[in-house]
Structure formats: structure tokens, C-alpha cells
Amino acid sequence: GTSTHEDVSEYYGKILSATEDLKTNACCTSAAPPDHIIQCLKNIHSDVIGKYYGCGLCIPDLIEGLTVLDLGCGSGRDVYIASQMVGSTGKVIGVDMTEEQLDVAKRTQDYHAEKFGYANTEFHLGYIEKLSELNIEPGSVDVIISNCVINLSPDKEAVLADCYKLLKPGGEVYFSDVYASSRVPQSLARDKVLWGECISGALYWNDFHNLSKKVGFLDPRLVEDSVITVSNKAQEEKIQSYSPNLRFFSATYRLFKIPELESHCEDYGQAVIYKGTIPRCGGAFKLDDHHVIETGKVFPVCGNTWRMLADTRFKDHFEFIGNFDRHYGIFEGCGTSLPYASASEGGGSSKGGGCC
């Protein structure tokens, strides 16, 4: 554990001095951010932007007034985006173990407070596997975000378990990370560059699902995914020499803290109607890659999806039809195959990882 921390800290604190120093595209975002994020980015100090190493945008909708925790916040880019989205009544906490990165975040706190018109950020130097050692009250956080960081941790179960403890009931972890199509061998895991580039520390996707369920996140939901092509011949050859079938994916998941969730998507004959009232989601609300819920339409859901909407901050934005009185069996289309649509050439819909 400690040597992994030291290697990662050295990689992100000393070897990488700017975004362009990354040796693969695993930590690079290909999609352009939405307009409201672009506006937020314009207010962020250039020193913070220059040291950004994330692999996707990982800030969910409807966070105004909430307490948000960013794991592995680095120089603070996502903290300062979230700071603008939660507003003056919200709060954003950043945690990172690399002093060089955190120094940039702290150094620019006054700059951002002046720019935004309020101060609502705090930063902690520490390990994401030891969140319980930081001065953050259990059950006090609404949303935990993380951008291509948990795969760098040597103890992913400890990270997820501490997340569960810190969240309020109905809160969620909403994060982007890297996952593998099968278990990564020690020969690759020991490679400092591949680990630092967020590749060889990636969990096998099904191990991640099982680990999430073990600590209490009973129904991990995939929001979106894309294939990682590595795009570095030397690093690609290391992977290919082990197996040409080992593939890596950048994926965004949401994990809700709802103890009543079931292990599978069960059918109770329920449905929801989205009111179209979540900001920037007027026409439809996307819960995950299997649930894009159009405004005003009666949308059949399994019991778990019902709870993810009824027992969370989304409740006021939906009408709920039905209850849990009668059970009709498994919800059709609840699968257990590789969940990433990007795994099939040309994309297309996947049947794994969620209902309908």
C-alpha cells in the first residue's frame, strides 16, 4: 500500500508537471464538456486547469445547496466546478495525497472565492482509503465525486466502504474511472507507468460490481462508457504481450446509499412520470444508460429504480405510480453480461448492468 502511494504521489507530483505529460490517453477526456461546465471552467485559474489529469466529467445534476466530496481532487479543477454548481449555500470538500497538487488548489482558494463571490471549499491532505481519519462527519455528504482516481488506490474496498459511511441516506457516489474486461495480472499491475496512467490498477468490471455490493451499494448503475485505446505503442505492447483480449474502459457509475435496494431488478408493476423540472434536463432525465426518462411519459421501472428516484434528491421531480404490494418477478432485461456498450464495435445498446 505505502509503496503504491509513494509511486503515485511521485508520478502526479513530480513526473507529471502538466496535462500534456501523460503517456497514454486513459486519463484524457475526448468529449467536449456541456455549456454550463464550459462557463464554470472560464472562472477557474489557469494553474488549476494546467494540472488536470481526469478521465471524464463526473459531476451529476441537481447539486445546488449540497455538500460534495471530491476524492483525489488533485489541483482542484472539479472542486471549483462543483463549487459554482452548489452555490453559496453548498460546500465542496477536496481530498488528495499529493502535496504538490493540493498546494495549487489551496493557493488559488482566495482567487476563486473572489471570482465566485463566496468561499465554500476546503481541502484535506490524506489518503482516500483512510477517509475516516479526516475531519469529515459520517453521514454528512450528499454526493461524492471522483475522476479517474479510485483505480490508483491499492485498497479499493476501503475507499468504497468509507464512502458509504460518509454519505447521507439517499446520497450517491457519482464517478468516472477505468475498468478492465478481465482481471489484470500482477506483471502489469507492478508497472509504475501503467499504474500511474490509470490502466493497470483498473478493477475487472464484475469485481467492481461485487465489491460495491459488499460494502452496501447494492445496485451499481452505469451511466456511460467508452473504450480506452491507450494510444502509446510501448505501453500497448506491454498489454498485448499478456493478452490481446484484455481491454480497458472509461466508465461513469452512480452508487446510491439506499439500504432497501435489492440484488436484482425486481418488477412490482411500478412506473414514474418525469416532470421536466431538473435544470438543464427539460426534455428528459438520464438516470443511467438504461433509463433516459422523457418528460411527461409514463415510464415503467423496477423497484430499485423507483427507490433511486423516490428516496433521493430527485423525488420532487417525479410522479410515482404503484407501490411494492405485488411482485411480478424479475424485471425483463436485467442482465449480467459485460455492461459496456462501447465493447461492441460500432457501439449499440448493451443488456448488462441494469434493467429495461
Side-chain angles (χ1 to χ4, degrees):
T2 307
S3 63
T4 303
H5 287 141
E6 288 169 355
D7 290 343
V8 170
S9 208
E10 182 183 355
Y11 199 74
Y12 282 85
K14 297 181 173 64
I15 295 173
L16 301 182
S17 58
T19 309
E20 52 269 25
D21 293 337
L22 290 162
K23 294 176 175 58
T24 73
N25 68 351
C27 291
C28 300
T29 310
S30 55
D35 288 345
H36 70 286
I37 298 295
I38 291 172
Q39 293 309 309
C40 289
L41 286 167
K42 288 178 180 175
N43 295 325
I44 296 175
H45 198 287
S46 58
D47 287 358
V48 170
I49 301 288
K51 280 187 171 287
Y52 169 68
Y53 307 118
C55 67
L57 184 73
C58 65
I59 301 177
D61 294 305
L62 208 64
I63 62 169
E64 188 174 352
L66 301 189
T67 296
V68 175
L69 170 63
D70 183 9
L71 303 184
C73 65
S75 59
R77 190 201 80 151
D78 289 355
V79 167
Y80 289 123
I81 292 174
S83 167
Q84 296 170 77
M85 292 174 69
V86 301
S88 59
T89 59
K91 177 172 148 184
V92 188
I93 306 162
V95 174
D96 205 275
M97 66 172 183
T98 305
E99 282 192 63
E100 290 90 344
Q101 288 276 80
L102 218 50
D103 284 347
V104 176
K106 288 179 176 177
R107 194 172 68 232
T108 56
Q109 264 181 300
D110 290 344
Y111 170 90
H112 291 107
E114 191 176 330
K115 196 85 173 169
F116 305 160
Y118 50 81
N120 66 351
T121 62
E122 64 182 63
F123 294 94
H124 296 267
L125 181 67
Y127 297 122
I128 62 171
E129 305 88 354
K130 297 180 179 179
L131 294 171
S132 54
E133 294 180 5
L134 304 177
N135 190 25
I136 304 169
E137 187 72 27
S140 69
V141 177
D142 296 289
V143 175
I144 297 175
I145 61 175
S146 180
N147 200 329
C148 210
V149 168
I150 293 176
N151 66 79
L152 295 168
S153 168
D155 189 351
K156 297 167 179 66
E157 183 177 339
V159 178
L160 293 172
D162 274 356
C163 285
Y164 192 87
K165 289 171 192 165
L166 290 177
L167 283 174
K168 295 176 184 176
E172 69 166 321
V173 187
Y174 186 98
F175 70 115
S176 297
D177 221 317
V178 179
Y179 300 93
S181 60
S182 59
R183 290 175 185 139
V184 178
Q186 276 300 306
S187 58
L188 294 178
R190 283 193 294 264
D191 188 290
K192 290 181 183 181
V193 172
L194 284 175
W195 189 283
E197 292 281 328
C198 304
I199 292 174
S200 62
L203 275 174
Y204 163 47
W205 69 269
N206 204 27
D207 286 345
F208 162 69
H209 282 213
N210 289 329
L211 209 53
S212 299
K213 293 171 185 177
K214 182 181 176 184
V215 303
F217 297 114
L218 302 175
D219 187 0
R221 290 295 178 94
L222 175 65
V223 180
E224 60 188 5
D225 64 90
S226 59
V227 174
I228 290 171
T229 53
V230 183
S231 298
N232 178 307
K233 198 166 187 295
Q235 306 308 323
E236 235 170 307
E237 282 174 359
K238 292 177 189 174
I239 297 164
Q240 291 285 314
S241 67
Y242 169 72
S243 170
N245 295 321
L246 178 58
R247 291 180 293 169
F248 295 90
F249 302 88
S250 173
T252 300
Y253 277 94
R254 60 192 334 159
L255 310 174
F256 286 99
K257 181 177 181 174
I258 304 173
E260 296 81 9
L261 292 180
E262 299 184 80
S263 60
H264 290 79
C265 300
E266 301 292 347
D267 187 354
Y268 295 92
Q270 297 160 305
V272 298
I273 301 172
Y274 172 49
K275 298 176 184 177
T277 48
I278 294 174
R280 295 178 295 275
C281 303
F285 172 69
K286 181 179 181 178
L287 176 69
D288 56 49
D289 70 340
H290 284 69
H291 299 84
V292 180
I293 307 171
E294 288 185 81
T295 300
K297 184 178 181 180
V298 177
F299 191 94
V301 293
C302 70
N304 281 359
T305 299
W306 167 284
R307 292 192 191 280
M308 289 175 190
L309 299 172
D311 298 347
T312 64
R313 67 189 188 279
F314 302 120
K315 180 179 182 178
D316 294 343
H317 302 274
F318 287 85
E319 292 175 39
F320 297 89
I321 301 166
N323 52 43
F324 287 87
D325 289 352
R326 185 165 179 166
H327 181 238
Y328 298 94
I330 201 81
F331 200 99
E332 191 179 345
C334 181
T336 54
S337 57
L338 178 71
Y340 307 131
S342 58
S344 56
E345 286 186 359
S349 177
S350 62
K351 283 290 180 190
C355 56
C356 50

